[in-house]
Amino acid sequence: MFDVDKIRDDFPILKRKVHGKPLVYLDNAATSQTPQIVIDTIVDYYSNYNANIHRGVHTLSQEATDKYEQARIKIQHHFNAKEAFEIIFTSGTTHSINMIASGFASLLKEGDEIIVSALEHHSNIVPWQMLCEKTGAVLRVIPMNLEGALEMDFYHNMLNKNTKLVFCNHVSNALGTVNPIKEIIDAAHKVGAAVLVDGAQATPHIKPDVQELDVDFYVASAHKLCGPTGMGMLYGKQEWLEKLPPYQGGGEMIATVSFEKTTYAGLPHKFEAGTPNICGGIAFGAAIDYMNTIGFNEIASYENELLTYATNQLLEIEGVKIYGTSTEKTAVISFNIEGIHPYDIGAILDKLGVAVRTGHHCAQPIMDYYKIPGTVRASFSFYNTKTEVDLLIEAVKKAKLMLS
Ligand SMILES: *Cc1c(COP(=O)(O)O)cnc(C)c1O
């Protein structure tokens, strides 16, 4: 049995009150909360072995280096990468994506095509626009439909010998749609294009297998899966990481330096210039361990129960419209109440202790498609409860009463 009460004891923040009401935290798609074991890992690092890595021969430096590299191996195993050096530590999904976009600048020429999906986060649109400006490549967009799913026929028709890169999120942060990434990857490979999958929103719910997917790049942020902010990862196939030039110059990424010529370090150090977020990397490893002790199958089935429970109750409220109704979705509900601005609902929910997100969710093109300014987004995690869903529903009813 999934013991949610026991799990909630792992998260100190879930005991706090907001405006005198118990916190109902339903903004998990923006960032997840941190279990005590991850907090302890951070405290342990700064209390006992804070030192720079890969450089010192002294004990603290060796301990920090060992723990940091062990975290890399934990992440390698979690994503089933073939090699630990295929995991690059970054400051998050945005950083990872920019790293690839910048690397591809030297590999693209005028007339090449990049395909992105209509369901992207801004962090997955802007870097490609910048890349196109730099290289003369053309950006093409896979359209979406009213359910919030991608129109795959359009995608298959778009692919051609000029397609060099395809970028898609695994799960849409605004709607929760799970995209058919295996189909996207296989079709792209048939025309020789590389595929980058943004897993920021999928990794809290799904355990991806990068070898089985045969994906070229897969990126994620630690803070959405119970880890710290400012920490993330980039998985890249060895052959691609070797082909791409380094992102930044600096310490740690070089083999030899002279004023005539510098040679670059091997993987993963070629992409990890400067002193990294050492503690963040180690805490990321601890967060992955924690999530795996709960189990991703258990997480998915419990969250799905919450999603169905919340969806059914919300739809009983007159005037509620849910955006993103694909059958393949994670525990995210984006909705509006007819005639009421999402921001006003969010503000009243906060007064009642319920934390949701309101706005465009960094996905303005999706809002434009539905011709709405934004939505109220409730996103669930495995530590949320049915009682909390009830509190959400009660709060939405109250907000509707006050605002209409
Ligand atoms: C959160 C998110 C990002 C951005 O992640 P950062 O940690 O802010 O870099 C990108 N894509 C998706 C789908 C997201 O949900």
Side-chain angles (χ1 to χ4, degrees), residues 69-111:
E69 291 307 320
Q70 278 163 20
R72 195 190 304 276
I73 290 166
K74 285 176 186 178
I75 294 164
Q76 174 205 352
H77 291 160
H78 180 74
F79 289 94
N80 193 31
K82 204 191 275 174
E83 306 286 352
F85 58 68
E86 292 176 318
I87 303 295
I88 311 294
F89 282 126
T90 67
S91 71
T93 301
T94 305
H95 179 201
S96 304
I97 293 171
N98 277 282
M99 214 154 152
I100 303 296
S102 136
F104 264 91
S106 63
L107 303 179
L108 293 181
K109 56 180 192 318
E110 207 172 321

mmCIF file of all heavy atoms in Angstrom, residues 69-111:
data_model
loop_
_atom_site.group_PDB
_atom_site.id
_atom_site.type_symbol
_atom_site.label_atom_id
_atom_site.label_comp_id
_atom_site.label_asym_id
_atom_site.label_seq_id
_atom_site.Cartn_x
_atom_site.Cartn_y
_atom_site.Cartn_z
ATOM 1 N N GLU A 69 31.103 12.377 -7.927
ATOM 2 C CA GLU A 69 31.145 11.390 -9.013
ATOM 3 C C GLU A 69 30.201 10.218 -8.749
ATOM 4 O O GLU A 69 29.656 9.634 -9.679
ATOM 5 C CB GLU A 69 32.585 10.917 -9.258
ATOM 6 C CG GLU A 69 33.489 12.008 -9.863
ATOM 7 C CD GLU A 69 32.917 12.657 -11.125
ATOM 8 O OE1 GLU A 69 32.333 11.945 -11.966
ATOM 9 O OE2 GLU A 69 33.013 13.895 -11.256
ATOM 10 N N GLN A 70 29.979 9.900 -7.468
ATOM 11 C CA GLN A 70 28.982 8.865 -7.146
ATOM 12 C C GLN A 70 27.590 9.340 -7.556
ATOM 13 O O GLN A 70 26.771 8.554 -8.030
ATOM 14 C CB GLN A 70 28.971 8.557 -5.645
ATOM 15 C CG GLN A 70 30.062 7.587 -5.195
ATOM 16 C CD GLN A 70 30.271 7.648 -3.684
ATOM 17 O OE1 GLN A 70 29.397 8.106 -2.932
ATOM 18 N NE2 GLN A 70 31.439 7.207 -3.239
ATOM 19 N N ALA A 71 27.334 10.633 -7.373
ATOM 20 C CA ALA A 71 26.024 11.179 -7.765
ATOM 21 C C ALA A 71 25.846 11.056 -9.277
ATOM 22 O O ALA A 71 24.766 10.719 -9.768
ATOM 23 C CB ALA A 71 25.908 12.641 -7.338
ATOM 24 N N ARG A 72 26.917 11.294 -10.010
ATOM 25 C CA ARG A 72 26.844 11.166 -11.468
ATOM 26 C C ARG A 72 26.461 9.724 -11.848
ATOM 27 O O ARG A 72 25.647 9.499 -12.743
ATOM 28 C CB ARG A 72 28.202 11.537 -12.093
ATOM 29 C CG ARG A 72 28.112 11.787 -13.602
ATOM 30 C CD ARG A 72 29.485 11.902 -14.250
ATOM 31 N NE ARG A 72 30.370 12.912 -13.677
ATOM 32 C CZ ARG A 72 30.363 14.218 -14.006
ATOM 33 N NH1 ARG A 72 29.521 14.660 -14.900
ATOM 34 N NH2 ARG A 72 31.203 15.055 -13.428
ATOM 35 N N ILE A 73 27.027 8.768 -11.128
ATOM 36 C CA ILE A 73 26.739 7.354 -11.419
ATOM 37 C C ILE A 73 25.287 7.008 -11.047
ATOM 38 O O ILE A 73 24.610 6.269 -11.768
ATOM 39 C CB ILE A 73 27.769 6.449 -10.701
ATOM 40 C CG1 ILE A 73 29.133 6.618 -11.389
ATOM 41 C CG2 ILE A 73 27.341 4.985 -10.722
ATOM 42 C CD1 ILE A 73 30.307 6.060 -10.618
ATOM 43 N N LYS A 74 24.808 7.582 -9.950
ATOM 44 C CA LYS A 74 23.388 7.373 -9.582
ATOM 45 C C LYS A 74 22.477 7.856 -10.703
ATOM 46 O O LYS A 74 21.488 7.218 -11.054
ATOM 47 C CB LYS A 74 23.038 8.161 -8.309
ATOM 48 C CG LYS A 74 23.578 7.540 -7.045
ATOM 49 C CD LYS A 74 23.287 8.418 -5.839
ATOM 50 C CE LYS A 74 23.980 7.818 -4.620
ATOM 51 N NZ LYS A 74 23.788 8.642 -3.429
ATOM 52 N N ILE A 75 22.817 9.026 -11.241
ATOM 53 C CA ILE A 75 21.990 9.609 -12.310
ATOM 54 C C ILE A 75 22.136 8.777 -13.582
ATOM 55 O O ILE A 75 21.154 8.502 -14.275
ATOM 56 C CB ILE A 75 22.375 11.095 -12.515
ATOM 57 C CG1 ILE A 75 21.999 11.869 -11.247
ATOM 58 C CG2 ILE A 75 21.680 11.688 -13.736
ATOM 59 C CD1 ILE A 75 22.625 13.228 -11.129
ATOM 60 N N GLN A 76 23.351 8.323 -13.857
ATOM 61 C CA GLN A 76 23.570 7.440 -15.015
ATOM 62 C C GLN A 76 22.660 6.214 -14.912
ATOM 63 O O GLN A 76 21.972 5.849 -15.876
ATOM 64 C CB GLN A 76 25.034 6.976 -15.047
ATOM 65 C CG GLN A 76 25.314 5.948 -16.144
ATOM 66 C CD GLN A 76 26.513 5.053 -15.816
ATOM 67 O OE1 GLN A 76 27.236 5.277 -14.842
ATOM 68 N NE2 GLN A 76 26.710 4.036 -16.631
ATOM 69 N N HIS A 77 22.654 5.567 -13.750
ATOM 70 C CA HIS A 77 21.843 4.359 -13.577
ATOM 71 C C HIS A 77 20.353 4.670 -13.666
ATOM 72 O O HIS A 77 19.593 3.915 -14.259
ATOM 73 C CB HIS A 77 22.176 3.670 -12.253
ATOM 74 C CG HIS A 77 23.549 3.063 -12.271
ATOM 75 N ND1 HIS A 77 24.239 2.756 -11.121
ATOM 76 C CD2 HIS A 77 24.371 2.733 -13.300
ATOM 77 C CE1 HIS A 77 25.429 2.253 -11.443
ATOM 78 N NE2 HIS A 77 25.532 2.227 -12.755
ATOM 79 N N HIS A 78 19.976 5.798 -13.083
ATOM 80 C CA HIS A 78 18.556 6.156 -13.103
ATOM 81 C C HIS A 78 18.036 6.294 -14.540
ATOM 82 O O HIS A 78 16.941 5.843 -14.857
ATOM 83 C CB HIS A 78 18.322 7.448 -12.330
ATOM 84 C CG HIS A 78 16.894 7.871 -12.305
ATOM 85 N ND1 HIS A 78 15.955 7.233 -11.527
ATOM 86 C CD2 HIS A 78 16.220 8.826 -12.995
ATOM 87 C CE1 HIS A 78 14.772 7.780 -11.742
ATOM 88 N NE2 HIS A 78 14.904 8.755 -12.621
ATOM 89 N N PHE A 79 18.822 6.934 -15.388
ATOM 90 C CA PHE A 79 18.395 7.159 -16.777
ATOM 91 C C PHE A 79 18.876 6.041 -17.711
ATOM 92 O O PHE A 79 18.640 6.093 -18.908
ATOM 93 C CB PHE A 79 18.919 8.512 -17.284
ATOM 94 C CG PHE A 79 18.229 9.688 -16.644
ATOM 95 C CD1 PHE A 79 18.754 10.307 -15.525
ATOM 96 C CD2 PHE A 79 17.024 10.156 -17.154
ATOM 97 C CE1 PHE A 79 18.110 11.384 -14.926
ATOM 98 C CE2 PHE A 79 16.370 11.226 -16.573
ATOM 99 C CZ PHE A 79 16.912 11.839 -15.452
ATOM 100 N N ASN A 80 19.559 5.080 -17.135
ATOM 101 C CA ASN A 80 20.142 3.971 -17.897
ATOM 102 C C ASN A 80 21.027 4.443 -19.052
ATOM 103 O O ASN A 80 20.948 3.927 -20.168
ATOM 104 C CB ASN A 80 19.046 3.018 -18.418
ATOM 105 C CG ASN A 80 19.652 1.715 -18.923
ATOM 106 O OD1 ASN A 80 20.682 1.269 -18.410
ATOM 107 N ND2 ASN A 80 19.046 1.121 -19.945
ATOM 108 N N ALA A 81 21.890 5.421 -18.768
ATOM 109 C CA ALA A 81 22.888 5.822 -19.762
ATOM 110 C C ALA A 81 23.969 4.749 -19.814
ATOM 111 O O ALA A 81 24.232 4.089 -18.818
ATOM 112 C CB ALA A 81 23.495 7.167 -19.387
ATOM 113 N N LYS A 82 24.590 4.605 -20.980
ATOM 114 C CA LYS A 82 25.604 3.566 -21.125
ATOM 115 C C LYS A 82 26.839 3.904 -20.292
ATOM 116 O O LYS A 82 27.452 3.043 -19.679
ATOM 117 C CB LYS A 82 25.966 3.449 -22.614
ATOM 118 C CG LYS A 82 26.527 2.080 -22.967
ATOM 119 C CD LYS A 82 27.127 2.064 -24.367
ATOM 120 C CE LYS A 82 26.107 1.796 -25.442
ATOM 121 N NZ LYS A 82 26.680 1.914 -26.799
ATOM 122 N N GLU A 83 27.233 5.191 -20.292
ATOM 123 C CA GLU A 83 28.460 5.617 -19.618
ATOM 124 C C GLU A 83 28.167 6.762 -18.646
ATOM 125 O O GLU A 83 27.338 7.616 -18.943
ATOM 126 C CB GLU A 83 29.473 6.155 -20.650
ATOM 127 C CG GLU A 83 29.782 5.215 -21.796
ATOM 128 C CD GLU A 83 30.679 4.047 -21.389
ATOM 129 O OE1 GLU A 83 31.191 4.048 -20.234
ATOM 130 O OE2 GLU A 83 30.857 3.142 -22.216
ATOM 131 N N ALA A 84 28.908 6.800 -17.524
ATOM 132 C CA ALA A 84 28.733 7.901 -16.568
ATOM 133 C C ALA A 84 29.124 9.234 -17.201
ATOM 134 O O ALA A 84 28.519 10.269 -16.914
ATOM 135 C CB ALA A 84 29.560 7.641 -15.307
ATOM 136 N N PHE A 85 30.143 9.226 -18.106
ATOM 137 C CA PHE A 85 30.577 10.497 -18.696
ATOM 138 C C PHE A 85 29.584 11.050 -19.720
ATOM 139 O O PHE A 85 29.784 12.139 -20.252
ATOM 140 C CB PHE A 85 31.991 10.394 -19.294
ATOM 141 C CG PHE A 85 32.158 9.342 -20.364
ATOM 142 C CD1 PHE A 85 31.547 9.469 -21.602
ATOM 143 C CD2 PHE A 85 32.941 8.214 -20.116
ATOM 144 C CE1 PHE A 85 31.706 8.507 -22.589
ATOM 145 C CE2 PHE A 85 33.101 7.233 -21.092
ATOM 146 C CZ PHE A 85 32.481 7.378 -22.333
ATOM 147 N N GLU A 86 28.523 10.309 -19.994
ATOM 148 C CA GLU A 86 27.465 10.856 -20.850
ATOM 149 C C GLU A 86 26.496 11.736 -20.046
ATOM 150 O O GLU A 86 25.591 12.332 -20.613
ATOM 151 C CB GLU A 86 26.693 9.727 -21.539
ATOM 152 C CG GLU A 86 27.520 8.972 -22.568
ATOM 153 C CD GLU A 86 26.775 7.793 -23.180
ATOM 154 O OE1 GLU A 86 26.096 7.059 -22.439
ATOM 155 O OE2 GLU A 86 26.864 7.606 -24.405
ATOM 156 N N ILE A 87 26.674 11.763 -18.728
ATOM 157 C CA ILE A 87 25.867 12.645 -17.868
ATOM 158 C C ILE A 87 26.687 13.896 -17.565
ATOM 159 O O ILE A 87 27.751 13.817 -16.940
ATOM 160 C CB ILE A 87 25.497 11.949 -16.524
ATOM 161 C CG1 ILE A 87 24.757 10.626 -16.771
ATOM 162 C CG2 ILE A 87 24.703 12.894 -15.624
ATOM 163 C CD1 ILE A 87 23.400 10.742 -17.427
ATOM 164 N N ILE A 88 26.203 15.048 -18.016
ATOM 165 C CA ILE A 88 26.870 16.328 -17.760
ATOM 166 C C ILE A 88 26.043 17.060 -16.703
ATOM 167 O O ILE A 88 24.826 17.182 -16.857
ATOM 168 C CB ILE A 88 26.902 17.205 -19.037
ATOM 169 C CG1 ILE A 88 27.422 16.415 -20.249
ATOM 170 C CG2 ILE A 88 27.698 18.487 -18.799
ATOM 171 C CD1 ILE A 88 28.838 15.975 -20.183
ATOM 172 N N PHE A 89 26.699 17.535 -15.655
ATOM 173 C CA PHE A 89 25.993 18.349 -14.670
ATOM 174 C C PHE A 89 25.836 19.770 -15.208
ATOM 175 O O PHE A 89 26.791 20.341 -15.752
ATOM 176 C CB PHE A 89 26.766 18.386 -13.346
ATOM 177 C CG PHE A 89 26.609 17.141 -12.518
ATOM 178 C CD1 PHE A 89 27.717 16.427 -12.075
ATOM 179 C CD2 PHE A 89 25.349 16.687 -12.153
ATOM 180 C CE1 PHE A 89 27.574 15.284 -11.301
ATOM 181 C CE2 PHE A 89 25.192 15.544 -11.371
ATOM 182 C CZ PHE A 89 26.302 14.841 -10.953
ATOM 183 N N THR A 90 24.645 20.324 -15.044
ATOM 184 C CA THR A 90 24.371 21.691 -15.497
ATOM 185 C C THR A 90 23.628 22.413 -14.370
ATOM 186 O O THR A 90 23.360 21.823 -13.321
ATOM 187 C CB THR A 90 23.457 21.694 -16.745
ATOM 188 O OG1 THR A 90 22.165 21.199 -16.366
ATOM 189 C CG2 THR A 90 24.027 20.819 -17.859
ATOM 190 N N SER A 91 23.251 23.665 -14.631
ATOM 191 C CA SER A 91 22.501 24.374 -13.585
ATOM 192 C C SER A 91 20.996 24.145 -13.751
ATOM 193 O O SER A 91 20.204 24.661 -12.981
ATOM 194 C CB SER A 91 22.824 25.870 -13.613
ATOM 195 O OG SER A 91 22.254 26.454 -14.750
ATOM 196 N N GLY A 92 20.590 23.395 -14.751
ATOM 197 C CA GLY A 92 19.163 23.103 -14.916
ATOM 198 C C GLY A 92 18.820 22.884 -16.374
ATOM 199 O O GLY A 92 19.689 22.965 -17.254
ATOM 200 N N THR A 93 17.556 22.630 -16.622
ATOM 201 C CA THR A 93 17.089 22.344 -17.978
ATOM 202 C C THR A 93 17.428 23.468 -18.948
ATOM 203 O O THR A 93 17.912 23.227 -20.056
ATOM 204 C CB THR A 93 15.564 22.126 -17.947
ATOM 205 O OG1 THR A 93 15.303 21.032 -17.072
ATOM 206 C CG2 THR A 93 15.016 21.811 -19.317
ATOM 207 N N THR A 94 17.191 24.712 -18.522
ATOM 208 C CA THR A 94 17.456 25.861 -19.389
ATOM 209 C C THR A 94 18.919 25.888 -19.817
ATOM 210 O O THR A 94 19.237 26.067 -20.994
ATOM 211 C CB THR A 94 17.094 27.172 -18.649
ATOM 212 O OG1 THR A 94 15.741 27.059 -18.208
ATOM 213 C CG2 THR A 94 17.255 28.380 -19.525
ATOM 214 N N HIS A 95 19.799 25.695 -18.853
ATOM 215 C CA HIS A 95 21.233 25.673 -19.127
ATOM 216 C C HIS A 95 21.561 24.530 -20.094
ATOM 217 O O HIS A 95 22.294 24.721 -21.075
ATOM 218 C CB HIS A 95 21.972 25.520 -17.794
ATOM 219 C CG HIS A 95 23.469 25.450 -17.898
ATOM 220 N ND1 HIS A 95 24.247 24.914 -16.912
ATOM 221 C CD2 HIS A 95 24.333 25.841 -18.873
ATOM 222 C CE1 HIS A 95 25.532 24.973 -17.271
ATOM 223 N NE2 HIS A 95 25.602 25.531 -18.456
ATOM 224 N N SER A 96 20.996 23.359 -19.839
ATOM 225 C CA SER A 96 21.284 22.190 -20.690
ATOM 226 C C SER A 96 20.874 22.460 -22.138
ATOM 227 O O SER A 96 21.602 22.131 -23.076
ATOM 228 C CB SER A 96 20.522 20.955 -20.191
ATOM 229 O OG SER A 96 20.811 20.682 -18.844
ATOM 230 N N ILE A 97 19.692 23.049 -22.304
ATOM 231 C CA ILE A 97 19.188 23.296 -23.654
ATOM 232 C C ILE A 97 20.064 24.323 -24.374
ATOM 233 O O ILE A 97 20.428 24.147 -25.537
ATOM 234 C CB ILE A 97 17.710 23.776 -23.610
ATOM 235 C CG1 ILE A 97 16.813 22.635 -23.120
ATOM 236 C CG2 ILE A 97 17.253 24.264 -24.990
ATOM 237 C CD1 ILE A 97 15.385 23.060 -22.830
ATOM 238 N N ASN A 98 20.435 25.371 -23.646
ATOM 239 C CA ASN A 98 21.288 26.391 -24.249
ATOM 240 C C ASN A 98 22.652 25.839 -24.649
ATOM 241 O O ASN A 98 23.251 26.267 -25.635
ATOM 242 C CB ASN A 98 21.442 27.588 -23.308
ATOM 243 C CG ASN A 98 20.265 28.537 -23.432
ATOM 244 O OD1 ASN A 98 20.186 29.309 -24.374
ATOM 245 N ND2 ASN A 98 19.320 28.433 -22.522
ATOM 246 N N MET A 99 23.114 24.887 -23.871
ATOM 247 C CA MET A 99 24.391 24.250 -24.162
ATOM 248 C C MET A 99 24.330 23.533 -25.519
ATOM 249 O O MET A 99 25.246 23.655 -26.332
ATOM 250 C CB MET A 99 24.622 23.216 -23.062
ATOM 251 C CG MET A 99 26.009 23.026 -22.659
ATOM 252 S SD MET A 99 25.869 22.437 -20.948
ATOM 253 C CE MET A 99 27.325 21.537 -20.901
ATOM 254 N N ILE A 100 23.255 22.821 -25.743
ATOM 255 C CA ILE A 100 23.101 22.088 -27.007
ATOM 256 C C ILE A 100 22.887 23.080 -28.157
ATOM 257 O O ILE A 100 23.476 22.944 -29.227
ATOM 258 C CB ILE A 100 21.890 21.125 -26.950
ATOM 259 C CG1 ILE A 100 22.036 20.154 -25.786
ATOM 260 C CG2 ILE A 100 21.749 20.349 -28.255
ATOM 261 C CD1 ILE A 100 23.191 19.256 -25.900
ATOM 262 N N ALA A 101 22.048 24.080 -27.922
ATOM 263 C CA ALA A 101 21.761 25.055 -28.981
ATOM 264 C C ALA A 101 23.058 25.752 -29.402
ATOM 265 O O ALA A 101 23.323 25.924 -30.591
ATOM 266 C CB ALA A 101 20.737 26.074 -28.500
ATOM 267 N N SER A 102 23.862 26.105 -28.423
ATOM 268 C CA SER A 102 25.102 26.793 -28.744
ATOM 269 C C SER A 102 26.062 25.846 -29.463
ATOM 270 O O SER A 102 26.739 26.239 -30.413
ATOM 271 C CB SER A 102 25.673 27.383 -27.454
ATOM 272 O OG SER A 102 27.029 27.172 -27.363
ATOM 273 N N GLY A 103 26.090 24.599 -29.050
ATOM 274 C CA GLY A 103 26.967 23.623 -29.704
ATOM 275 C C GLY A 103 26.591 23.381 -31.152
ATOM 276 O O GLY A 103 27.452 23.218 -32.021
ATOM 277 N N PHE A 104 25.294 23.380 -31.427
ATOM 278 C CA PHE A 104 24.843 23.095 -32.785
ATOM 279 C C PHE A 104 25.089 24.258 -33.738
ATOM 280 O O PHE A 104 25.017 24.085 -34.957
ATOM 281 C CB PHE A 104 23.362 22.696 -32.795
ATOM 282 C CG PHE A 104 23.176 21.201 -32.782
ATOM 283 C CD1 PHE A 104 23.063 20.513 -31.596
ATOM 284 C CD2 PHE A 104 23.143 20.485 -33.971
ATOM 285 C CE1 PHE A 104 22.923 19.132 -31.574
ATOM 286 C CE2 PHE A 104 23.006 19.106 -33.974
ATOM 287 C CZ PHE A 104 22.892 18.424 -32.766
ATOM 288 N N ALA A 105 25.383 25.450 -33.200
ATOM 289 C CA ALA A 105 25.633 26.611 -34.069
ATOM 290 C C ALA A 105 26.742 26.304 -35.072
ATOM 291 O O ALA A 105 26.697 26.749 -36.214
ATOM 292 C CB ALA A 105 25.976 27.829 -33.223
ATOM 293 N N SER A 106 27.719 25.517 -34.638
ATOM 294 C CA SER A 106 28.840 25.231 -35.542
ATOM 295 C C SER A 106 28.526 24.068 -36.486
ATOM 296 O O SER A 106 29.302 23.776 -37.388
ATOM 297 C CB SER A 106 30.091 24.918 -34.721
ATOM 298 O OG SER A 106 29.867 23.755 -33.957
ATOM 299 N N LEU A 107 27.412 23.389 -36.274
ATOM 300 C CA LEU A 107 27.097 22.213 -37.102
ATOM 301 C C LEU A 107 26.003 22.495 -38.132
ATOM 302 O O LEU A 107 25.744 21.674 -39.001
ATOM 303 C CB LEU A 107 26.645 21.045 -36.215
ATOM 304 C CG LEU A 107 27.601 20.573 -35.102
ATOM 305 C CD1 LEU A 107 26.991 19.438 -34.311
ATOM 306 C CD2 LEU A 107 28.944 20.149 -35.683
ATOM 307 N N LEU A 108 25.338 23.662 -38.027
ATOM 308 C CA LEU A 108 24.206 23.953 -38.920
ATOM 309 C C LEU A 108 24.593 24.954 -40.002
ATOM 310 O O LEU A 108 25.488 25.764 -39.814
ATOM 311 C CB LEU A 108 23.034 24.530 -38.113
ATOM 312 C CG LEU A 108 22.351 23.603 -37.115
ATOM 313 C CD1 LEU A 108 21.219 24.345 -36.432
ATOM 314 C CD2 LEU A 108 21.842 22.340 -37.776
ATOM 315 N N LYS A 109 23.881 24.885 -41.115
ATOM 316 C CA LYS A 109 24.103 25.875 -42.170
ATOM 317 C C LYS A 109 22.752 26.376 -42.670
ATOM 318 O O LYS A 109 21.695 25.828 -42.291
ATOM 319 C CB LYS A 109 24.908 25.257 -43.310
ATOM 320 C CG LYS A 109 24.251 24.015 -43.886
ATOM 321 C CD LYS A 109 25.076 23.438 -45.009
ATOM 322 C CE LYS A 109 24.313 22.388 -45.785
ATOM 323 N NZ LYS A 109 23.512 21.427 -45.036
ATOM 324 N N GLU A 110 22.812 27.415 -43.504
ATOM 325 C CA GLU A 110 21.591 28.001 -44.028
ATOM 326 C C GLU A 110 20.745 26.943 -44.731
ATOM 327 O O GLU A 110 21.277 26.094 -45.452
ATOM 328 C CB GLU A 110 21.960 29.110 -45.020
ATOM 329 C CG GLU A 110 20.874 30.156 -45.099
ATOM 330 C CD GLU A 110 21.317 31.350 -45.937
ATOM 331 O OE1 GLU A 110 22.490 31.756 -45.838
ATOM 332 O OE2 GLU A 110 20.460 31.859 -46.685
ATOM 333 N N GLY A 111 19.444 26.977 -44.482
ATOM 334 C CA GLY A 111 18.548 26.030 -45.144
ATOM 335 C C GLY A 111 18.296 24.765 -44.334
ATOM 336 O O GLY A 111 17.357 24.023 -44.613
#
